[in-house]
Amino acid sequence: MAKRVVIVGGGAAGMQTALELKARGIEPVIVERDIELGGKARGWHKLFPSFTPASDVMRPIADRIKAERVRCFYGQEVTAIAPDGVMLRSGERIPSDAVVVATGFTLFDAHRKQEYGYGLYDNVITSVDLERMMNSGKVLLTDGTEPRRIAILHCVGSRDEKVCQKHCSKVCCITGVKQAIELKEIFPTADVFNFYMDIRMFGPGYEELYREAQQRYNVHFVRGRISEAAETINKRIQIKAEDTLTGRPLKMTVDMLVLLVGMSANYENETLAATAGLSLAPNGYYRAQDSFLGAVRSEREGIFFAGAATAPKSLADTLAEASLTASAVDEYLRAKFNEK
Amino acid sequence: MRRASWQEYQKDIASDKYYYARSCIRQNFFPGSERAFLDILHNDLGIDVFDDPLHTSCTGIGYHSDVVPLETIMTVVARQFALMAEAGYENFISSCITSFGIYNEILATWEEFPETEERTRRYLREATGRELVKPRSIAHTSDIIFHHREAIARRAKRRLVNVHTGEPLRVVEHIGCHYAKIFPKSGIGGSEFPYVLAGMIESWGGEVVDYPERRHCCGFGFRNYLVQANRGSSIANSHKKLESMAPYKPDFIVANCPGCTMFLDKWQYAIAEMEGTTYGADGRGIPVLTYEEMAGLVLGYDPWELGMQMHQVDVEPLLDKLGVEYDREAKYLGAGGKYIGKPADVAVNCESERRIYEIKR
Amino acid sequence: MRNLNFGYGISSPRAINLDNNDLRKSNDIIREMPELQACIGCGSCTASCTAGNITSFNFRKLHTSVRRGEYQGAYEELSKCMLCGKCRLVCPRGINTRGLVMLIKRKLGDF
Amino acid sequence: MENMTFFAPFTIPFIVGGVAMFVVIAAKWLLWLVRLPRVDRRLIRHNFFTRQTLLAVWEVFRESLLHVRIFRVNPVLGFMHMSLAFGWFLLIVVGWIETVAYLGWVWVPLQGHVFFKYFMPVNGIEGHIQLFEHLMDALLLLVLMGVALAWFKRLRSKMMGMRRTTKHVLFDRIALSALWFIFPARLVAESLTAAIYGGGGFLTGSIGGVLRDIVPSDMLSLAYEPAWWFYSAALGVFFAAMPFSRYMHILTEIPLIFLRRWSVRPTAERKSYDRFEVEACSRCGICIDPCQLQEDLGINDTQSVYFLRDRRYNMLSLKVANNCLMCGRCEQQCPVGINLATLRLNSRAKRRNIPHEGRYKYLRGVDRSSGSGRVGYFAGCMTSLTPGVQRSMEQIFAAVGEEVWYADKEGGVCCGRPLMLSGETDAARKMVAYNTDLFRRHNIELLVTSCPICLRVFRENYRLDGIEVLHHTEYIDRLIAEGRLHLKADGRTFTYHDPCELGRGCGVYDEPRRVIASVGELREPKHSRRDALCCGASLANTIIDDGQQQRIAKRMTTELEATACDTIVTACPLCNKAISRAAAHPAEDIAEVVAKNIVR
């Protein structure tokens, strides 16, 4: 009988791990809270830094999941985790030989930064909203007109102690640059302003893309964090920041304000970790064994991690990590069954 | 390693047959230096250098102060070159760093924008009937002395050594900004590590002082000095350099630019008046020499022949260190033993109550 | 002889000179409020500043200058602050900005 | 008996201590009274012959003797204070009556009353009244119970409803030790007297009887004089230490009650009246428990009791003065009714308070207001960071057709309270003058503000005669009452958080609750109204750091969330920010809840 591994979460990390396990002759079972697989990458338009359509990456994975007949539970929430299986909210228990936690992250709720007026002003949107809009092929203001001036604000819900998010979400800077370029491509005559505290371009091709945004697309980068936004009489957004490089307060009116929302740890991490006997890092993500050789192992034998459950990660990092997780699981199961 | 980098970049310098262009500032403040240059080349080295009475100011000060337009200065420069050709020379040498910069700049402009050269030819022809001939080589007179530094060393009467201690003299060299900061290729050693003065010092037995503000401007900067409201900035730059070099206890400063020599010398007096600070090991200021004066002393010229009585900071302590024999009484006697007048004692040449070394230590 | 009037003086250098600046007060301030060092210069404080929107008062620049030992005029400048506390609400690094204003003023003049 | 001198050597400590106490206290009070500002002296003259004086006498009886307010906090604690204060008082009164009863109306020196038993061991005296013996014993017992409770409180304070008791200074310890010994010593001395001379009531008489039976009589005689010496010494030490210890409050509370009845109050500037308040603090420590700095952060050197102690002994540090949320929770519970917040504020006003020439000069000519109308709206600085509130208010104004002048829509000038809270009262006056002028210039009749901090300063420190000032919750409540604003049911359950400045600060408790009740179900958290917790973001505290603020917010939010409501509502932008940071779901302002449910 094939060894069975339950994967909690059917996003990019969970799906890819399932395929990698299957390839190693292990039977994966995905438990997904949503009614379909795909996680946060679903509905995403294009990926940085190459502008690859997200569907080009996600669809083949989904197709393979189907082709390989990976068993999936949909609309099922896991309430407890142990190395020998998970409990579902329905009360059902799925036994297994190992568990992979691939629960990912939660998008920061932009409502929490009320001073930016998300949900309050018509044309304040999040980076996720923008992806959806681009996916639908229609990026417009609520009155149906085209934006002529757009501001993109970095670090919304990242590096902000006022909303208890001390960590850097890692992917927003490059997303901001990517979206600025995309907006410039849709609206070549529009002015795009990126407001940032620090620009962190750590990945391959990121710095180059940043430079391209500056030089080729004439995206304006203002070093200053927007502190408040207000709606003007004609439904435009008036924003205030300090242009820290000139040392003067800056005020401008834009048609659209895009908030680059960060990645928060899942609210449920705390209770789930408690059931599994795992601990969390101060920022609420799961704590891996270490940052190097034990990056996908938990502090407990038989429980593994994949993807953004342990820290904010890009899609590329997540997919790469999946095979690491699968090989760690494989190694663990071999040792376990040889002993018996 | 460091030394290597200071002499890394070399440029081609003609060995003979120079057409000499003078400096406005030096003719007024250091007339002995230009005289000494010609004497050294003629008498000591036997080199042909032509001092043409027809040539004029390059008008560079006016140009940098926005009173002389570009077209005018180009035409003036074209005339100098025309005179050179008429006199049968093709190696143009300039006594002034500002002029040197101007000549290089204009030649480069003509190169980049040939229409300006055409226009200048026309203006020159219309105004003077002369024909522009571009020189084969352009050099600053310090380049020339540098070029012949070993020949001078061979003829040296004395070296840059303290005769009382036998130690080499510590020399601060200062290069004018327009020597190589405009066109790095125009200077020996390039713009960052010009070697032109350092090479002379080393050949003649002195020790070059390398101090933090070595590359900093003396502060002249034309409008910085010419407009009184800006003079505070001008003196602040010299002040910065002097503060920076003082702890190294240099025996003297040598500069290759007329303005720098003048300002590093005269600002010492102004700083003494303003702040009561005097530099130099005994609080009597740091003498500032031109490279010709330095070469002249090495070759055994009389300091008063070299015009060293024109200095703000008294040079006698330096002469004593070098073991130069001179007539104290003859300092203020001009041509034919005529008394030229003696300036009053000023703060810089008196020992000050607040000396830089005491403040720093 | 020293009374000669040149019509100008030696301009003081514009550079922040960390060799010469007296950092004792600055160190005192940082010791009492170490979180100040966590400032990433995002400018949120200055952007939201009630006083800064009417005057040239720039809190970020000011406390950075004080940290560098540039105290000249800092006290007078800080007197423009209304202590309203908006800056504390927006600071992503959780710096106790109001306390800081009072601390700097205390170190540089009050009492 | 007629030749009775009522003097014995052992009374000397008592006499010396007692005289010292009266001299010191008299000197203190006199000095403080003489130094009162003219305004206060005029108040005293004006109110002296009024009903207030009689009320003060009654209050002195209730508070200085019976300690009614402490009873309300905790009956056992109240009983302890009452038995000590009232019991002792009655001992003195009944003792005096006893003297009169035996000796008639003759002058008897003080020690004659106090050590009556010594001078007149009553056994065999003519006309011996046994009732007095029993009565005095009963009173002694009452006091001893108080002493026993005090001992017990030291050991186990929780029983008294206090989790923490005060840490004391040296004089306190001396006085406290003496106090603890006074009554047991009296019991011993009187029992010994009864043992030797007979007499005594049910307590001393009985103990005396037992002693007589078991202790040899020469031993009794030997212990007799030392026992009375010890009693006198305990009293003497206590009296001598008292003016310098916390027990100064016993007597200081009396003039304080009178002064307060005569409308004398502490102000933003320090004055000698403050001494009455400061020294009226008994350091009972009731203020420690409500303090969230203590509860949540474990800070235990800054509570009002320590603040007053430090101020009294001139060792107040800036850090202690500044480390207070000024939430007013302790003041609410202070049994002496000391104006803790005002005293704290005028302690902060030590800062070099003369605004230099040209400070805030930049305010001249600034007017960024917009619109016009009879009603003015001052959102407040903080409200610009909660734009939802501002927007909702605009919707409400629009719904009722109010013409509104917006004072600070484009950014205004701070109300001045933050400066006051930091002790810069003179600087704050510039803000006050600026805003007052601004309001007057635009001829408004009603001023609505969304910030309770502004509300409080508008009401307390601005002279806005002719302009009514309302918080938006009061304004909305009025709109609903007048039938101008109609709301539909929201269907959600709400928990309301009382902002300190709005609730305890301005006494606005009912209006927000009425407004919420008109759209949904209101659930009260564990602490609410007068007792509501502070969100921790208070501008009054410039000492605690961000993490500490967060911890305070977290606990109070947890309490709010414990009601299992759908939405937490508050009425202050600062509270809103603090709660939203700690809660699972962002909090809403009442204005936002209302704006969502307007029936047009």
Side-chain angles (χ1 to χ4, degrees):
Chain A
M1 201 183 94
K3 289 163 279 186
R4 183 151 78 161
V5 173
V6 169
I7 298 167
V8 186
M15 290 160 82
Q16 183 72 3
T17 308
L19 292 175
E20 295 277 351
L21 285 172
K22 192 96 187 173
R24 287 168 166 81
I26 300 166
E27 188 209 337
V29 178
I30 296 178
V31 185
E32 169 56 46
R33 185 163 57 172
D34 217 334
I35 50 163
E36 55 183 310
L37 299 179
K40 301 284 189 309
R42 193 149 41 87
W44 206 258
H45 184 52
K46 281 178 181 169
L47 304 173
F48 59 75
S50 56
F51 298 93
T52 311
S55 55
D56 283 9
V57 176
M58 294 307 288
R59 190 168 306 126
I61 296 177
D63 290 348
R64 277 183 61 201
I65 290 276
K66 220 171 272 169
E68 301 271 0
R69 295 169 189 276
V70 173
R71 228 180 115 202
C72 300
F73 289 80
Y74 297 103
Q76 294 284 2
E77 202 178 330
V78 170
T79 54
I81 297 172
D84 60 350
V86 300
M87 275 303 268
L88 303 183
R89 166 109 31 232
S90 59
E92 192 186 339
R93 186 171 174 281
I94 310 175
S96 68
D97 298 309
V99 173
V100 174
V101 178
T103 48
F105 62 95
T106 302
L107 277 166
F108 175 76
D109 177 8
H111 289 99
R112 280 180 177 269
K113 294 297 292 178
Q114 209 194 109
E115 52 264 49
Y116 301 144
Y118 182 64
L120 213 55
Y121 309 145
D122 286 346
N123 294 310
V124 178
I125 60 171
T126 66
S127 43
V128 181
D129 298 337
L130 181 62
E131 289 293 330
R132 302 260 148 80
M133 285 167 122
M134 290 191 291
N135 230 1
S136 71
K138 245 201 199 147
V139 182
L140 291 173
L141 301 176
T142 45
D143 64 2
T145 58
E146 293 189 349
R148 275 160 301 142
R149 219 175 192 196
I150 304 162
I152 299 178
L153 174 58
H154 291 228
C155 293
V156 177
S158 301
R159 306 177 74 201
D160 187 353
E161 306 205 1
K162 288 289 143 66
V163 286
C164 307
Q165 299 289 315
K166 295 188 184 179
H167 61 275
C168 165
S169 294
K170 196 171 167 182
V171 298
C172 332
C173 280
I174 179 67
T175 303
V177 169
K178 182 202 74 138
Q179 292 187 340
I181 291 177
E182 286 171 315
L183 285 168
K184 282 294 274 190
E185 277 183 342
I186 305 172
F187 311 111
T189 56
D191 286 320
V192 180
F193 292 80
N194 281 44
F195 287 84
Y196 67 96
M197 305 200 280
D198 289 303
I199 288 275
R200 299 182 166 180
M201 292 289 154
F202 56 90
Y206 292 12
E207 184 68 27
E208 291 85 336
L209 196 67
Y210 177 28
R211 193 169 174 118
E212 202 169 296
Q214 292 170 311
Q215 219 166 314
R216 213 176 113 205
Y217 290 92
N218 191 23
V219 174
H220 307 279
F221 285 83
V222 182
R223 196 193 172 283
R225 179 172 171 264
I226 296 176
S227 73
E228 51 193 278
E231 201 172 45
T232 63
I233 193 147
N234 47 5
K235 298 281 173 195
R236 300 180 80 209
I237 317 291
Q238 188 195 66
I239 52 181
K240 287 182 188 168
E242 190 203 349
D243 184 349
T244 60
L245 299 183
T246 61
R248 284 169 58 198
L250 179 149
K251 194 167 118 175
M252 73 183 293
T253 311
V254 295
D255 301 313
M256 180 185 266
L257 173 62
V258 182
L259 307 176
L260 285 169
V261 285
M263 296 159 84
S264 308
N266 295 339
Y267 194 68
E268 305 79 23
N269 283 4
E270 207 172 318
T271 47
L272 270 183
T275 67
L278 302 176
S279 62
L280 300 180
N283 60 4
Y285 285 89
Y286 288 100
R287 194 194 294 279
Q289 219 174 53
D290 65 49
S291 315
F292 311 102
L293 295 173
V296 297
R297 291 170 213 272
S298 75
E299 292 162 319
R300 209 166 157 204
E301 286 256 295
I303 301 179
F304 298 83
F305 298 120
T310 48
K313 286 190 184 90
S314 68
L315 185 58
D317 292 348
T318 298
L319 293 175
E321 199 175 87
S323 56
L324 204 61
T325 307
S327 86
V329 170
D330 191 20
E331 192 183 308
Y332 163 76
L333 291 178
R334 272 172 210 280
K336 187 177 166 185
F337 286 97
N338 284 351
E339 273 164 24
K340 275 185 185 170
Chain B
M1 158 70 204
R2 170 186 287 185
R3 180 160 301 196
S5 62
W6 283 80
Q7 53 185 312
E8 214 164 51
Y9 182 79
Q10 300 288 351
K11 73 170 185 183
D12 292 331
I13 301 165
S15 299
D16 205 346
K17 294 195 174 302
Y18 306 122
Y19 181 84
Y20 187 55
R22 287 182 177 253
S23 149
C24 308
I25 291 179
R26 279 153 67 88
Q27 282 177 81
N28 287 291
F29 292 94
F30 308 101
S33 292
E34 293 199 332
R35 179 75 250 155
F37 177 78
L38 295 171
D39 286 351
I40 291 169
L41 259 59
H42 271 298
N43 308 342
D44 293 87
L45 305 173
I47 289 167
D48 174 16
V49 50
F50 181 51
D51 181 20
D52 187 353
L54 289 177
H55 88 285
T56 65
S57 162
C58 75
T59 68
I61 294 177
Y63 170 65
H64 287 302
S65 314
D66 278 356
V67 283
V68 172
L70 183 64
E71 287 79 3
T72 309
I73 194 169
M74 277 188 176
T75 313
V76 171
V77 166
R79 179 175 173 274
Q80 315 274 64
F81 292 155
L83 290 172
M84 172 195 68
E86 288 166 18
Y89 289 86
E90 44 189 9
N91 301 321
F92 195 91
I93 61 172
S94 156
S95 162
C96 173
I97 288 287
T98 303
S99 305
F100 180 65
I102 294 284
Y103 295 131
N104 279 307
E105 183 186 337
I106 287 174
L107 284 172
T109 309
W110 287 342
E111 197 70 39
E112 289 287 328
F113 306 96
E115 69 277 12
T116 58
E117 185 183 336
E118 274 320 301
R119 206 164 53 221
T120 307
R121 280 183 192 281
R122 203 176 72 237
Y123 291 157
L124 181 66
R125 207 177 296 125
E126 285 168 6
T128 67
R130 293 191 147 88
E131 206 52 51
L132 165 63
V133 180
K134 287 199 267 184
R136 194 163 62 87
S137 79
I138 285 262
H140 183 249
T141 47
S142 63
D143 292 335
I144 305 303
I145 299 286
F146 173 83
H147 191 68
H148 300 291
R149 67 189 186 284
E150 297 305 338
I152 292 173
R154 280 193 294 277
R155 291 168 176 75
K157 294 278 186 314
R158 63 176 68 82
R159 291 172 66 76
L160 298 174
V161 169
N162 187 326
V163 292
H164 305 296
T165 63
E167 296 283 318
L169 291 180
R170 302 171 59 74
V171 189
V172 158
E173 52 86 88
H174 176 81
I175 309 291
C177 292
H178 290 189
Y179 173 68
K181 282 181 190 162
I182 303 178
F183 298 100
K185 278 203 286 188
S186 69
I188 293 160
S191 67
E192 293 300 318
F193 303 103
Y195 187 62
V196 59
L197 294 178
M200 296 179 206
I201 296 163
E202 285 172 2
S203 294
W204 302 338
E207 182 187 325
V208 179
V209 172
D210 193 6
Y211 64 107
E213 300 294 353
R214 184 168 172 180
R215 294 187 193 80
H216 199 83
C217 167
C218 73
F220 175 27
F222 302 96
R223 268 171 295 185
N224 280 324
Y225 176 75
L226 298 174
V227 180
Q228 193 191 11
N230 296 344
R231 260 175 226 171
S233 154
S234 174
I235 190 169
N237 284 287
S238 288
H239 183 242
K240 189 181 199 171
K241 279 188 80 78
L242 289 162
E243 287 283 321
S244 175
M245 71 176 74
Y248 295 85
K249 303 189 180 182
D251 293 299
F252 68 95
I253 300 169
V254 62
N256 71 342
C257 169
C260 304
T261 321
M262 176 166 101
F263 281 98
L264 288 172
D265 188 26
K266 303 213 186 307
W267 279 142
Q268 289 193 51
Y269 157 70
I271 291 167
E273 288 286 0
M274 287 172 178
E275 293 214 316
T277 307
T278 49
Y279 302 91
D282 50 2
R284 294 176 68 85
I286 308 171
V288 185
L289 272 58
T290 64
Y291 51 93
E292 291 102 328
E293 287 169 349
M294 179 166 72
L297 289 177
V298 165
L299 289 169
Y301 281 52
D302 181 80
W304 311 142
E305 293 267 299
L306 288 169
M308 291 177 83
Q309 60 273 66
M310 302 291 281
H311 289 208
Q312 184 77 61
V313 176
D314 287 345
V315 294
E316 284 91 332
L318 172 69
L319 299 178
D320 293 341
K321 278 184 213 166
L322 278 167
V324 176
E325 283 173 20
Y326 60 95
D327 183 358
R328 232 169 248 284
E329 301 306 314
K331 181 170 182 182
Y332 298 109
L333 298 180
K338 202 179 121 200
Y339 182 61
I340 56 171
K342 178 179 183 291
D345 278 339
V346 287
V348 68
N349 292 323
C350 309
E351 201 161 334
S352 144
E353 69 268 36
R354 243 183 95 236
R355 270 188 286 136
I356 188 76
Y357 304 114
E358 281 155 16
I359 301 160
K360 293 267 151 115
R361 306 272 168 249
Chain C
M1 221 195 237
R2 196 82 19 91
N3 299 324
L4 223 64
N5 179 14
F6 286 81
Y8 55 92
I10 303 174
S11 309
S12 40
R14 234 175 67 80
I16 295 171
N17 191 335
L18 285 184
D19 296 338
N20 292 356
N21 282 3
D22 181 358
L23 294 176
R24 268 174 301 184
K25 280 180 178 176
S26 147
N27 287 336
D28 264 9
I29 289 165
I30 291 164
R31 200 175 311 119
E32 283 197 35
M33 204 173 274
E35 71 214 54
L36 177 56
Q37 292 286 54
C39 173
I40 46 174
C42 72
S44 297
C45 49
T46 308
S48 66
C49 180
T50 302
N53 271 305
I54 308 177
T55 72
S56 59
F57 176 56
N58 182 324
F59 185 56
R60 178 189 58 79
K61 256 170 126 171
L62 198 130
H63 77 65
T64 312
S65 300
V66 168
R67 270 192 289 162
R68 305 280 184 262
E70 299 278 309
Y71 311 117
Q72 183 100 45
Y75 181 86
E76 287 67 26
E77 198 60 17
L78 266 183
S79 296
K80 293 179 180 169
C81 167
M82 303 186 194
L83 277 176
C84 75
K86 264 176 92 180
C87 46
R88 190 170 185 185
L89 269 190
V90 296
C91 177
R93 285 287 169 136
I95 296 169
N96 178 359
T97 50
R98 287 182 78 243
L100 180 63
V101 171
M102 289 164 66
L103 176 64
I104 296 178
K105 281 179 67 177
R106 179 151 55 83
K107 292 284 176 195
L108 297 188
D110 280 342
F111 300 104
Chain D
M1 198 184 286
E2 295 78 43
N3 318 335
M4 204 74 165
T5 55
F6 290 104
F7 180 77
F10 82 85
T11 57
I12 290 171
F14 163 76
I15 294 169
V16 172
V19 169
M21 175 182 82
F22 278 108
V23 169
V24 173
I25 292 181
K28 277 190 172 188
W29 288 359
L30 208 62
L31 200 66
W32 300 342
L33 283 173
V34 168
R35 283 189 184 164
L36 278 183
R38 185 168 304 170
V39 194
D40 289 346
R41 274 183 280 154
R42 196 180 313 134
L43 274 174
I44 295 172
R45 276 200 302 279
H46 190 257
N47 290 327
F48 194 82
F49 294 106
T50 58
R51 210 167 61 93
Q52 290 304 323
T53 309
L54 293 176
L55 287 173
V57 174
W58 173 236
E59 193 183 332
V60 166
F61 176 69
R62 279 168 55 97
E63 291 309 325
S64 300
L65 295 175
L66 299 184
H67 290 92
V68 177
R69 277 196 285 255
I70 304 187
F71 260 101
R72 274 197 215 120
V73 175
N74 180 292
V76 185
L77 198 65
F79 179 75
M80 183 192 101
H81 283 84
M82 187 274 278
S83 59
L84 280 168
F86 194 48
W88 197 351
F89 175 73
L90 285 181
L91 266 180
I92 295 167
V93 173
V94 176
W96 181 77
I97 294 171
E98 191 182 20
T99 324
V100 172
Y102 285 120
L103 302 179
W105 295 95
V106 292
W107 185 82
V108 174
L110 196 62
Q111 73 271 23
H113 294 283
V114 175
F115 305 113
F116 191 65
K117 275 278 162 40
Y118 176 88
F119 294 110
M120 307 214 68
V122 289
N123 188 25
I125 290 178
E126 209 178 319
H128 170 232
I129 307 164
Q130 189 59 35
L131 177 67
F132 273 121
E133 303 277 0
H134 288 314
L135 193 57
M136 289 297 276
D137 273 9
L139 292 173
L140 182 58
L141 186 64
L142 180 68
V143 178
L144 282 170
M145 282 165 71
V147 174
L149 281 172
W151 283 350
F152 196 71
K153 182 184 136 199
R154 280 281 123 186
L155 296 173
R156 304 201 40 187
S157 54
K158 207 141 198 173
M159 202 207 92
M160 303 276 181
M162 288 174 68
R163 276 159 293 173
R164 284 157 206 98
T165 51
T166 325
K167 291 168 290 183
H168 292 302
V169 299
L170 181 66
F171 271 115
D172 288 349
R173 293 186 188 282
I174 295 172
L176 181 70
S177 312
L179 181 62
W180 280 2
F181 282 120
I182 288 172
F183 296 98
R186 178 172 175 151
L187 180 67
V188 171
E190 291 192 352
S191 299
L192 276 172
T193 311
I196 295 168
Y197 298 98
F202 67 90
L203 187 65
T204 53
S206 316
I207 299 174
V210 173
L211 286 174
R212 193 162 41 220
D213 293 344
I214 58 168
V215 182
S217 63
D218 53 341
M219 290 282 278
L220 284 179
S221 321
L222 206 63
Y224 179 65
E225 279 287 325
W228 283 102
W229 266 99
F230 187 70
Y231 176 39
S232 166
L235 278 171
V237 169
F238 176 70
F239 289 149
M242 184 184 139
F244 309 102
S245 75
R246 67 198 187 104
Y247 298 100
M248 182 67 186
H249 81 270
I250 298 173
L251 295 176
T252 311
E253 199 182 349
I254 298 165
L256 177 65
I257 287 171
F258 280 93
L259 287 170
R260 208 181 273 152
R261 284 280 171 188
W262 295 330
S263 306
V264 183
R265 295 279 181 279
T267 54
E269 280 81 39
R270 308 169 134 216
K271 57 184 183 184
S272 71
Y273 168 80
D274 298 353
R275 304 290 307 186
F276 283 105
E277 296 228 335
V278 169
E279 302 212 0
C281 169
S282 68
R283 267 170 254 161
C284 63
I286 285 175
C287 52
I288 301 177
D289 278 346
C291 181
Q292 289 169 263
L293 296 181
Q294 155 67 50
E295 177 79 28
D296 298 340
L297 308 179
I299 295 171
N300 50 17
D301 61 351
T302 186
Q303 284 70 27
S304 294
V305 54
Y306 300 121
F307 157 71
L308 290 174
R309 179 194 67 192
D310 289 358
R311 178 158 166 185
R312 178 174 169 188
Y313 296 111
N314 264 330
M315 50 187 209
L316 182 63
S317 71
L318 202 66
K319 197 174 167 204
V320 167
N322 283 341
N323 199 359
C324 172
L325 298 163
M326 293 219 196
C327 62
R329 293 189 83 221
C330 56
E331 192 168 328
Q332 209 58 240
Q333 298 205 11
C334 177
V336 190
I338 300 172
N339 284 295
L340 297 168
T342 313
L343 291 179
R344 180 87 68 165
L345 276 190
N346 68 30
S347 299
R348 291 177 179 184
K350 281 202 318 193
R351 180 169 285 274
R352 194 173 79 190
N353 206 356
I354 308 136
H356 71 79
E357 209 55 33
R359 186 168 181 189
Y360 304 124
K361 208 165 155 187
Y362 60 81
L363 295 181
R364 200 167 300 155
V366 172
D367 184 348
R368 309 174 140 205
S369 63
S370 52
S372 66
R374 190 185 60 84
V375 176
Y377 178 63
F378 189 92
C381 299
M382 299 294 179
T383 311
S384 61
L385 296 174
T386 54
V389 178
Q390 175 129 15
R391 200 181 162 87
S392 300
M393 283 311 294
E394 285 167 23
Q395 288 169 358
I396 293 166
F397 287 135
V400 298
E402 198 88 84
E403 298 268 306
V404 181
W405 167 72
Y406 292 96
D408 58 352
K409 208 170 173 178
E410 297 297 318
V413 168
C414 174
C415 65
R417 183 151 171 86
L419 279 165
M420 287 180 190
L421 289 172
S422 307
E424 299 204 44
T425 39
D426 289 339
R429 250 170 237 138
K430 297 209 170 189
M431 315 273 120
V432 173
Y434 170 86
N435 282 318
T436 307
D437 175 60
L438 188 73
F439 299 151
R440 292 244 174 269
R441 203 145 20 92
H442 289 273
N443 295 319
I444 51 168
E445 290 165 21
L446 174 66
L447 178 63
V448 180
T449 178
S450 285
C451 176
I453 303 165
C454 304
L455 178 75
R456 184 147 182 207
V457 74
F458 288 159
R459 285 196 176 159
E460 290 182 1
N461 303 88
Y462 278 58
R463 288 167 162 242
L464 293 173
D465 313 319
I467 303 177
E468 194 185 6
V469 182
L470 292 181
H471 184 254
H472 71 242
T473 54
E474 298 173 287
Y475 174 71
I476 294 168
D477 180 54
R478 185 180 289 184
L479 292 179
I480 297 171
E482 287 172 352
R484 293 173 66 190
L485 187 68
H486 301 281
L487 303 178
K488 62 176 190 290
D490 183 283
R492 283 184 290 173
T493 53
F494 299 100
T495 290
Y496 174 66
H497 163 71
D498 285 289
C500 300
E501 297 275 49
L502 189 62
R504 283 180 293 268
C506 295
V508 178
Y509 296 109
D510 297 327
E511 290 86 344
R513 286 180 167 76
R514 272 203 297 271
V515 173
I516 297 167
S518 65
V519 292
E521 185 196 330
L522 177 67
R523 292 184 185 163
E524 292 289 350
K526 187 174 156 209
H527 293 92
S528 78
R529 293 182 179 257
R530 274 170 210 296
D531 204 22
L533 295 175
C534 171
C535 69
S538 166
L539 287 178
N541 192 314
T542 48
I543 300 293
I544 59 171
D545 65 28
D546 193 55
Q548 290 171 314
Q549 286 194 335
Q550 215 173 314
R551 258 145 69 199
I552 295 175
K554 185 72 202 167
R555 187 178 68 98
M556 67 71 91
T557 306
T558 309
E559 213 170 75
L560 296 173
E561 286 180 324
T563 61
C565 60
D566 297 321
T567 307
I568 297 171
V569 203
T570 188
C572 166
L574 209 51
C575 299
N576 190 324
K577 284 265 165 201
I579 297 169
S580 297
R581 196 176 170 193
H585 305 288
E588 282 184 32
D589 191 278
I590 289 189
E592 293 175 286
V593 174
V594 167
K596 278 180 195 157
N597 295 295
I598 297 175
V599 178
R600 277 167 216 278

